[in-house]
Amino acid sequence: IRENAEKSLFPIPYESKHIPLSELKKRLDELDDDKVYCSLCQYGERSRKAYLVLKKNKIKSYYLNEGMDKLL
């Protein structure tokens, strides 16, 4: 959900699928219906928006309410 520049600033140290929020709707077909996804951004607002897009498209997901800012 983070944009490309953010990905390099704060890399996620485990397997992940990077899709910026600005590209999410047109890349939904890349997501596996059998998996559960966690939306993650810096502060949580974009994560929530991504979660709502995924939910509307019946893709199992959750988001970190306060984002990476609180995680780090």
Side-chain angles (χ1 to χ4, degrees):
I1 299 311
R2 300 176 302 151
E3 296 302 321
N4 291 322
E6 294 173 288
K7 181 183 177 194
S8 61
L9 290 173
F10 302 103
I12 296 175
Y14 47 86
E15 182 182 343
S16 63
K17 176 96 174 154
H18 177 246
I19 301 177
L21 180 60
S22 61
E23 300 175 15
L24 182 60
K25 288 181 183 177
K26 61 185 171 194
R27 293 180 60 187
L28 289 170
D29 62 328
E30 296 178 30
L31 302 176
D32 184 344
D33 292 341
D34 295 327
K35 291 186 177 181
V36 177
Y37 294 92
C38 176
S39 300
L40 182 63
C41 70
Q42 188 68 31
Y43 300 107
E45 182 60 29
R46 286 174 294 164
S47 295
R48 185 186 67 78
K49 290 177 182 179
Y51 164 77
L52 293 173
V53 169
L54 296 172
K55 181 179 177 182
K56 181 178 179 181
N57 286 277
K58 299 183 180 6
I59 297 172
K60 295 173 269 191
S61 66
Y62 62 98
Y63 68 100
L64 294 181
N65 192 27
E66 296 183 7
M68 287 192 71
D69 194 47
K70 293 292 182 177
L71 185 63
L72 300 174

